[in-house]
């Protein structure tokens, strides 16, 4: 190696950049070895050092392996120390050098380097590449600053020397270190030019793409403006021709309808104002659609339109009787209302609430009423409704706002006096969005609903002619103020006899028709129906019964289709075949009761049930334990029963010591079902009395009634269901409070005949009837 | 009268350019170069064709042991400055002199001198 050409120079490693010959760059050094290398160069007469790029910018103290082997010899043109630990220099590249060997590592890197000139190359390829690069650079420049012609030589300096051109571009473009280094380390001038050509064309493509994106956004904008302009022109042309455009025609149509419509004055005014607003709105405005929908609603609502009621009581009675069996009480009340309306047409329509178990005909009764009155019928379910806005509507400011369900129902009905049935009013939800029950308060109040304001409509609408009917399975979940506004009519469950009658009159004909059978193709004897009712259904209503009848029918249809078109008489054996084994077994009355057990009667949503109250003594225990998921009222009633028996122990011939020495446990099966209410009071008192005196209560007797501390027996509800349940279970005698005598009217004749009903005023009467030995013993003792 | 053309840009541009004043004199031109601190042996003045080229190296030799750079503005290392001559070098006489760190290049034009003589 020619030592003459080599030189020993300090080495300054730099990150993220490459210094090209001819180029000036500012550098800032704060790393110890870098500062030392710069200071070493400064103390020489020539101020020369070698600048080399680091392979990995993350390395803090680069060693030989961390540096590229080709660097640039540079001269320090200026230097300054802005801070004690930092040296800032401006260096200018002189020529590229190759690092031959390290001569020193500490305190700074010193290498022996040799200049690495390019072989002389002036062929046509160099010229061609040079021109191509200048073209590309020119393009890049015009793309980067459009509309502002910049002279290439201003950016790159003189472009005569191909290498200088490449190096100038290399430092102007923001290339990665690897790419810059590859340009610096190119073997020949042609290689360097080729590399730069490649990088530059990529850069131009990126710039072009950027330009395209920018112009695309621009053209989209101007397209919209163009459309607007064209529409304006179109409108002007139409006006010239005397034509109306579609939007204008629409407004005209609405105006025509508005003039013809029979609207109250304030509505007419509001609608005209809205129409004027609509006219002014531009055709493309989304507001226009909102405005039009609103106007259509206003025009369609039956502000003054109502149906004429048919006030023929006789006809109404016939229709009600046709559609529904029994329910005498309810029908009577409906007819009463009708009669009032007949005498005073201005009377407010009543708001009825039908309460009863599922399937007893609440909804169909509503339909019958509408038919009897000759009114339109609309029904909507409130079950699970939890948003007040559903009832009252959303304000029009909201996107997609709609009128509430009430106004929608009125619109569907097309008259302002329909029968509007609000189903499942007991299943209203309630959450942070509001309480729909509160909204119902206004709707169902005859004093307020004359001026019902829907949020969407924002005009008062008169709901006072609407015949509201609500239905519920249970009254408990209905808020009191709401309940207060309605007249409650109870539809209790049906007895077996009633169900058979209903099946004969309505269910069998309906199913026969639905399943395509001829009348009388299937004969269902009473005992078969009875079997279906007791063995396959357990319900207060008749839905399951209808389904079961339907299944039996479909089996007959199958036989008929298969060719056996004869009449078929259903038998009990066939039932097992069609409906499967019996699903329910009646809880039969327990044959013999041990001391401490009494039969009570309970009311449930699906009808009545017999429940046994069990009591037992806990020797050496104390207090009263109550189990069986009893509610607070039921627990208190148990305590009252115990206190009564305790305080009257002597009268009943019971040793008071029994109370002191023993604890007591009362349990009411089935333990998994929550129970509440005071109506088991006398049953608990009977169980306790029987326990203390050791005499069992009569097993054929069930009872219901509330007990007071002084021994009075108070009336309870749900008597019909309870008595029917007792009869189903095979009970022969039922003890009821005398105040419930009026309810006996509801009971079918057969039931009244079959059961012995014992009406009582005081608990002594109950005990006498339920535990006959108790008083016989007392009499003997006296 | 021909005009003194200012520097033609050096091609490589890796050298610094010393500042220069140009004068016209009764007998020709004079150029004054600011070359303070440059050793006489490090300066080269050449006339090639129609060009006057002043080049060389400024070495930083006024530096003592223990001195530490705090800032640096003076340009060291190689320099070059090229001027196009207004006259044919064959009829010109170029002379160099040094004064207190300044390099003065005198260019005497024979024709101009003749004109002067006639007057």
């Amino acid at each position: 190696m020619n030592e003459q050409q080599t030189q020993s120079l300090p080495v300054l490693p730099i990150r993220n950049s490459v210094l090209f010959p001819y180029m000036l760059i500012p550098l800032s050094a704060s790393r110890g070895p870098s500062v030392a290398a710069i200071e070493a160069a400064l103390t020489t007469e020539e101020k020369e050092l070698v600048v080399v790029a680091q392979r990995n910018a993350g390395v803090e103290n680069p060693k030989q392996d961390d540096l590229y082997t080709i660097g640039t010899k540079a001269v320090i043109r200026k230097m300054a120390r802005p801070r004690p630990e930092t040296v800032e220099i401006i260096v200018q590249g002189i020529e590229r050098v190759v690092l031959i060997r390290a001569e020193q590592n500490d305190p700074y890197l010193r290498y022996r380097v040799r200049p690495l000139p390019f072989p002389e190359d002036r062929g046509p390829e160099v010229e061609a590449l040079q021109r191509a690069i200048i073209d590309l650079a020119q393009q890049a420049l015009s793309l980067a600053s459009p509309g502002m012609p910049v002279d290439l030589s201003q950016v790159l300096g003189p472009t005569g020397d191909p290498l200088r051109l490449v190096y100038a571009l290399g430092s102007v473009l923001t290339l990665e270190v690897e790419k810059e280094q590859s340009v610096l380390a190119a073997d020949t001038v042609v290689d360097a030019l080729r590399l730069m050509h490649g990088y530059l064309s990529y850069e131009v493509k990126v710039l072009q793409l950027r330009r395209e994106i920018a112009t695309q956004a621009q053209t989209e904008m101007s397209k919209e403006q163009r459309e607007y302009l064209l529409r304006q022109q179109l409108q002007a042309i139409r006006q010239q021709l005397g034509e109306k455009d579609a939007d204008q025609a629409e407004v005209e149509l609405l105006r025509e309808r508005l003039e013809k419509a029979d609207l109250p004055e304030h509505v007419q005014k509001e609608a005209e104002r809205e129409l004027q607003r609509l006219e002014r709105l531009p055709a493309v405005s989304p507001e226009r659609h909102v405005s039009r929908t609103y106007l259509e609603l206003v025009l369609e609502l039956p502000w003054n339109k109502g149906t004429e009621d048919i006030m023929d009581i006789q006809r109404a009675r016939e229709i009600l009787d046709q559609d529904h069996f029994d329910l005498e009480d309810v029908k009577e009340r409906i007819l009463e209302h009708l009669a009032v309306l007949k005498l005073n047409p201005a009377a407010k329509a009543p708001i009825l609430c039908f309460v009863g178990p599922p399937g007893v005909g609440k909804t169909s009764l509503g339909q019958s009423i509408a038919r009897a009155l000759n009114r339109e019928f609309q029904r909507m379910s409130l079950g699970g409704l939890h948003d007040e806005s559903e009832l009252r509507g959303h304000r029009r400011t909201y996107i997609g706002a709609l009128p509430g369900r009430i106004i929608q129902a009125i619109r569907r009905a097309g008259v302002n006096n329909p029968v509007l049935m609000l189903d499942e009013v007991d299943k209203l939800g309630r959450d942070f969005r509001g309480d729909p029950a509160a909204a119902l308060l206004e709707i169902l109040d005859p004093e307020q609903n004359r001026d019902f304001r829907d949020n969407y409509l924002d005009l008062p609408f008169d709901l006072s002619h609407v015949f509201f009917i609500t239905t519920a399975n249970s009254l408990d979940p209905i808020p009191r103020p709401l309940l207060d506004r309605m007249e409650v009519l109870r539809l209790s469950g049906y007895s077996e006899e009633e169900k058979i009658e209903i099946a004969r009159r309505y269910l069998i004909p309906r199913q026969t028709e639905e399943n395509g059978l001829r009348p009388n193709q299937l004969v269902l004897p009473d005992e078969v129906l009875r079997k279906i009712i007791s063995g396959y259904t357990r319900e207060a209503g008749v839905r399951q019964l209808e389904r079961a009848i339907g299944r039996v029918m479909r089996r007959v249809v199958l036989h008929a289709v298969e060719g056996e078109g004869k009449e078929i008489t259903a038998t009990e054996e066939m039932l097992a075949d069609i409906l499967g084994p019996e699903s329910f077994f009646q809880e039969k009355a327990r044959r013999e009761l041990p001391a401490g057990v009494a039969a009570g009667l309970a009311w449930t949503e699906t009808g009545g049930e017999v429940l046994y109250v069990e009591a037992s003594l806990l020797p050496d225990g104390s207090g009263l334990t109550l189990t069986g998921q009893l509610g607070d009222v039921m627990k208190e009633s148990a305590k009252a029963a115990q206190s009564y028996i305790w305080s009257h122990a002597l009268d009943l011939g019971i040793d008071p010591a029994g109370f002191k020495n023993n604890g007591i446990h009362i349990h009411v099966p089935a333990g998994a079902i929550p129970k509440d209410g005071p109506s088991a009071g006398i049953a608990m008192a009977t169980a306790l009395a029987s326990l203390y005196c050791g005499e069992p209560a009569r097993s054929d007797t069930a009872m219901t009634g509330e007990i007071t501390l002084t021994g009075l027996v108070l009336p309870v509800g749900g008597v019909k269901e309870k008595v029917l349940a007792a009869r189903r279970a095979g009970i022969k005698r039922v003890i009821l409070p005398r105040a419930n005598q009026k309810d006996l009217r509801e009971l079918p004749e057969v039931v009244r005949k079959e059961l012995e009903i014992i009406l009582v005023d005081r608990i002594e009467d109950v005990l006498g009837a339920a535990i006959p030995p108790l008083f016989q013993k007392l009499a003997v003792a006296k | 009268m021909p005009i003194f053309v200012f520097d033609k840009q050096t091609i490589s541009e890796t050298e610094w350019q010393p500042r220069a004043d140009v004068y016209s004199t009764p007998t020709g031109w004079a150029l004054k170069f600011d070359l303070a601190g440059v050793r006489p042996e490090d300066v080269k003045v050449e006339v090639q064709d129609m060009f006057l080229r002043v080049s060389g190296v400024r070495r930083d030799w006024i530096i003592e042991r223990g001195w530490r750079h705090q800032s640096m503005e003076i340009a060291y290392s190689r320099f070059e400055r090229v001027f196009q001559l207004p006259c044919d070098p064959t009829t010109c006489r170029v002379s160099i002199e040094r004064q207190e760190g300044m390099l003065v290049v005198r260019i005497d034009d024979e024709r101009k001198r003749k004109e002067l003589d006639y007057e």
Side-chain angles (χ1 to χ4, degrees):
Chain A
M1 185 177 295
N2 187 355
E3 283 289 323
Q4 291 284 294
Q5 279 185 355
T6 67
Q7 235 182 325
S8 172
L9 288 172
V11 170
L12 176 63
I14 59 170
R15 305 187 247 208
N16 300 327
S17 176
V18 169
L19 173 66
F20 291 111
Y22 311 114
M23 297 300 132
L24 275 164
I25 57 166
L27 292 173
S28 175
S30 50
R31 294 190 281 189
S34 300
V35 173
I38 291 168
E39 283 182 340
L42 282 171
T43 52
T44 65
E45 293 191 344
E46 284 82 15
K47 320 282 183 212
E48 286 176 346
L49 45 66
V50 174
V51 175
V52 187
Q54 264 177 243
R55 286 180 198 275
N56 180 358
V59 178
E60 196 52 39
N61 278 315
K63 296 277 167 288
Q64 186 159 8
D65 291 344
D66 302 321
L67 298 175
Y68 287 106
T69 51
I70 291 176
T72 307
K73 187 169 93 179
V75 169
I76 303 173
R77 285 269 174 255
K78 284 188 177 170
M79 75 78 69
R81 288 181 198 269
R83 285 179 298 281
E85 70 280 9
T86 312
V87 180
E88 282 185 355
I89 53 173
I90 294 175
V91 291
Q92 182 170 27
I94 303 286
E95 60 184 345
R96 62 173 189 163
V97 292
V98 58
L99 277 60
I100 302 169
R101 62 175 183 272
E103 295 196 328
Q104 178 187 323
N105 276 323
D106 205 57
Y108 59 89
L109 295 171
R110 177 176 276 277
Y111 272 77
R112 184 149 286 277
V113 299
R114 179 167 49 82
L116 189 63
F118 283 104
E120 197 62 31
D121 194 350
R122 280 272 161 195
E125 198 176 358
V126 172
E127 185 68 29
L129 278 166
Q130 191 177 352
R131 286 189 199 171
I133 287 175
I134 290 175
D135 272 0
L136 279 173
Q138 206 72 261
Q139 266 186 51
L141 209 61
S142 61
L143 282 170
S145 56
M148 213 183 7
V150 181
D151 189 7
L152 196 63
S153 63
Q154 270 182 340
V155 182
L156 300 178
T159 50
D161 180 4
L163 267 179
R164 201 187 176 291
L165 174 72
V166 167
Y167 291 152
L169 280 169
S171 48
V172 169
L173 299 175
T174 46
L175 298 175
E176 293 103 63
V177 175
E178 291 80 36
K179 290 182 178 173
E180 290 188 349
Q181 181 67 31
S182 68
V183 171
L184 184 68
D187 286 337
T188 63
V189 176
V190 173
D191 282 351
L193 285 164
R194 280 215 180 107
L195 281 169
M196 185 48 66
H197 186 267
Y199 299 149
L200 196 56
S201 11
Y202 175 77
E203 199 69 14
V204 167
K205 264 184 206 139
V206 171
L207 282 167
Q208 273 171 343
L209 215 62
R210 213 174 71 179
R211 177 88 165 263
E212 261 169 46
I213 291 166
T215 48
Q216 206 171 11
Q218 216 170 16
T219 48
E220 262 168 34
M221 184 82 116
S222 52
K223 200 175 143 196
E224 216 159 89
Q225 283 170 340
R226 209 171 99 90
E227 202 178 289
Y228 176 76
L229 219 77
L230 284 174
R231 273 189 195 286
Q232 292 291 318
Q233 284 173 349
L234 190 67
Q235 209 160 13
I237 293 168
R238 281 201 170 125
Q239 252 168 14
Q240 290 289 318
L241 290 174
E243 279 177 9
K244 284 178 200 150
D245 64 26
D247 298 311
Q248 192 53 39
E250 185 181 43
V251 171
E252 292 293 318
L253 201 73
L254 282 170
R255 169 150 298 139
E256 217 170 284
R257 277 175 67 187
L258 180 61
E259 273 157 18
K260 277 187 200 155
D262 173 23
L263 301 179
E265 201 179 328
H266 62 282
V267 178
Q268 181 93 26
K269 247 190 224 160
E270 180 63 37
E272 268 165 21
R273 232 181 49 195
E274 188 67 32
L275 193 62
Q276 278 166 12
R277 207 169 82 86
L278 178 68
E279 243 173 329
R280 283 198 306 275
L281 283 171
V284 287
S285 162
E287 283 265 312
R288 196 182 169 92
H289 176 71
V290 174
S291 187
R292 198 185 58 217
T293 323
Y294 174 75
L295 268 173
E296 275 170 2
L297 172 73
V298 171
L299 289 172
E300 273 176 37
L301 276 180
W303 297 91
N304 288 325
K305 211 168 105 194
T307 45
E308 198 70 30
D309 286 349
I310 296 180
M311 289 301 175
D312 186 339
I313 304 288
Q314 193 52 43
R315 173 178 168 276
R317 191 190 295 275
E318 275 165 22
I319 288 173
L320 290 177
D321 281 341
Q322 252 171 42
D323 293 351
H324 291 270
F325 172 74
D326 197 37
L327 301 177
E328 289 307 329
D329 222 29
V330 179
K331 286 177 186 166
E332 211 56 44
R333 299 275 278 282
I334 292 166
L335 292 175
E336 282 164 19
H337 279 299
L338 237 59
V340 172
L341 279 174
K342 185 173 184 176
L343 291 183
N344 176 14
K348 286 163 192 139
I351 293 161
L352 301 180
C353 179
F354 293 158
V355 182
V360 291
K362 298 186 293 292
T363 308
S364 66
L365 192 57
Q367 278 166 328
S368 297
I369 292 173
R371 205 153 73 87
L373 283 168
N374 189 33
R375 287 196 182 193
E376 289 294 325
F377 179 80
Q378 283 295 327
R379 142 177 200 284
M380 59 196 206
S381 177
L382 303 182
L385 192 85
H386 51 61
D387 188 352
E388 183 203 351
S389 310
E390 282 277 306
L391 280 175
R392 227 205 275 262
H394 295 272
R395 290 199 335 178
R396 253 189 304 155
T397 43
Y398 296 115
I399 293 189
L402 283 175
R405 297 245 201 128
I406 301 284
I407 289 293
Q408 282 181 26
I410 300 278
R411 182 190 200 172
R412 275 200 307 274
V415 290
N416 65 1
N417 62 345
V419 171
L420 197 53
M421 179 161 250
L422 310 175
D423 261 341
E424 323 281 10
V425 75
D426 56 334
K427 291 174 190 62
L428 274 175
R430 174 190 216 168
D431 65 9
F432 59 93
R433 273 166 287 197
D435 183 358
L440 270 186
L441 287 184
E442 186 197 346
I443 295 164
L444 296 184
D445 187 339
E447 298 300 327
Q448 293 179 45
N449 68 11
R450 190 176 295 280
D451 289 325
F452 171 69
R453 246 177 212 277
D454 185 274
N455 285 330
Y456 178 86
L457 188 61
D458 202 22
L459 285 169
F461 190 91
D462 187 358
L463 291 179
S464 63
H465 303 298
V466 178
F467 195 131
F468 282 105
I469 298 173
T470 63
T471 73
N473 292 130
S474 155
L475 287 181
D476 298 334
I478 304 178
R480 288 243 68 89
L482 183 56
L483 196 56
D484 197 43
R485 284 167 166 71
M486 305 185 288
E487 194 174 334
V488 175
L489 296 180
R490 280 188 185 278
L491 281 77
S492 35
Y494 295 113
S495 68
E496 214 169 89
E497 281 67 32
E498 285 169 331
K499 284 183 184 174
I500 290 175
E501 197 57 38
I502 291 168
R504 287 253 169 273
R505 283 204 206 174
Y506 308 104
L507 307 183
I508 295 176
R510 188 153 71 205
Q511 286 298 324
T512 308
E513 199 185 315
E514 268 179 29
N515 291 306
L517 285 175
R518 291 190 309 276
N520 299 328
Q521 195 163 356
L522 172 73
V523 180
L524 279 166
D526 273 2
E527 63 271 16
V528 176
L529 270 179
R530 208 180 294 274
K531 185 78 187 167
I532 294 176
I533 291 164
S534 63
Y536 295 95
T537 68
R538 168 168 290 182
E539 56 174 353
V542 290
R543 281 214 187 104
Q544 292 178 27
L545 174 61
E546 180 165 7
R547 260 199 304 278
I549 292 173
R551 279 177 68 186
V552 174
M553 293 235 173
R554 281 191 288 282
R555 180 58 63 95
V556 174
V557 171
L558 184 64
H559 283 299
V561 172
E562 281 174 353
E564 299 166 36
K566 303 175 290 196
E567 278 179 21
I568 293 174
T569 302
T571 60
E572 290 191 31
E573 291 76 55
M574 280 169 68
L575 287 184
D577 187 30
I578 298 168
L579 299 176
E582 283 181 44
S583 321
F584 299 104
F585 291 93
Q586 291 292 338
E587 179 162 11
K588 293 280 184 283
R590 301 191 191 180
R591 284 258 177 74
E592 247 168 63
L593 298 179
V597 178
L601 290 171
W603 177 89
T604 67
E605 280 185 20
T606 54
E609 255 177 72
V610 176
L611 4 127
Y612 287 92
V613 178
E614 302 176 344
S616 68
L617 281 177
L618 310 173
D620 297 330
S622 70
L624 176 67
T625 309
L626 295 165
T627 55
Q629 287 224 47
L630 309 185
D632 287 341
V633 178
M634 203 158 176
K635 281 179 184 167
E636 282 169 11
S637 134
K639 281 178 190 143
Q642 188 200 23
S643 299
Y644 177 82
I645 302 286
W646 196 339
S647 62
H648 294 80
L650 289 175
D651 301 343
L652 298 171
I654 297 168
D655 180 9
F659 293 95
K660 244 186 241 164
N661 302 334
N662 301 305
I664 206 139
H665 184 159
I666 297 180
H667 177 70
V668 186
I673 303 162
K675 313 163 191 75
D676 202 2
S679 66
I682 61 169
M684 288 195 268
T686 305
L688 287 172
S690 144
L691 180 67
Y692 286 119
C693 72
E695 292 289 342
R698 276 181 67 161
S699 62
D700 62 347
T701 308
M703 61 205 79
T704 182
E706 183 178 347
I707 187 174
T708 72
L709 261 188
T710 51
L712 288 177
V713 177
L714 300 183
V716 293
V719 169
K720 183 182 174 191
E721 286 90 344
K722 287 175 178 174
V723 173
L724 290 178
R727 177 167 169 260
R728 268 206 304 272
I731 299 279
K732 295 283 176 291
R733 305 162 78 223
V734 176
I735 303 174
L736 293 175
R738 188 173 302 281
N740 280 111
Q741 186 165 21
K742 59 180 172 42
D743 298 317
L744 296 178
R745 251 178 355 104
E746 286 180 29
L747 291 174
E749 191 63 38
V750 213
V751 179
R752 267 184 284 175
K753 263 187 204 152
E754 213 174 284
L755 287 178
E756 182 188 347
I757 307 279
I758 303 154
L759 295 168
V760 295
D761 294 307
R762 294 192 53 81
I763 185 69
E764 288 85 359
D765 305 338
V766 178
L767 297 178
I771 320 173
L774 188 67
F775 290 102
Q776 283 165 14
K777 266 196 334 203
L778 276 180
V780 172
K782 271 173 189 168
Chain B
M1 202 174 98
I3 293 172
F4 210 103
V5 177
F6 265 106
D7 12 2
K8 173 189 168 288
Q9 281 231 319
T10 49
I11 287 174
S12 62
E13 239 193 315
T14 56
E15 295 87 3
W16 61 279
Q17 296 178 313
R19 283 158 205 276
D21 294 343
V22 178
Y23 305 87
S24 70
T25 62
T27 55
W29 291 270
L31 289 92
K32 195 158 77 190
F33 291 90
D34 180 359
L35 284 177
V38 181
R39 290 191 189 101
E41 64 265 31
D42 287 338
V43 184
K44 202 158 106 191
V45 180
E46 293 166 289
V47 176
Q48 284 177 342
D49 303 330
M50 291 287 278
F51 295 102
L52 173 78
R53 181 162 178 264
V54 177
S55 63
V57 186
R58 173 147 66 190
R59 297 181 203 275
D60 185 17
W61 48 276
I62 310 170
I63 183 164
E64 289 178 19
R65 182 170 276 280
W67 286 14
R68 191 158 171 259
H69 277 83
Q70 288 304 315
S71 80
M72 189 185 91
E73 288 182 353
I74 297 168
Y76 296 100
S77 80
R78 295 198 292 145
F79 62 87
E80 186 185 51
R81 198 82 202 253
V82 178
F83 287 92
Q84 191 175 8
L85 290 172
C87 56
D88 187 342
T90 52
T91 64
C92 286
R93 210 156 51 84
V94 176
S95 60
I96 306 163
E97 60 189 85
R98 300 182 142 272
Q99 283 176 23
E100 300 291 328
M102 293 298 186
L103 178 78
V104 180
V105 178
R106 289 174 193 273
I107 301 161
D108 285 326
D109 191 336
E110 293 299 324
R111 289 170 304 172
K112 213 170 177 180
R113 183 185 284 264
K114 275 173 193 160
E115 279 166 32
L116 206 72
D117 287 348
Y118 288 130
E119 279 169 17

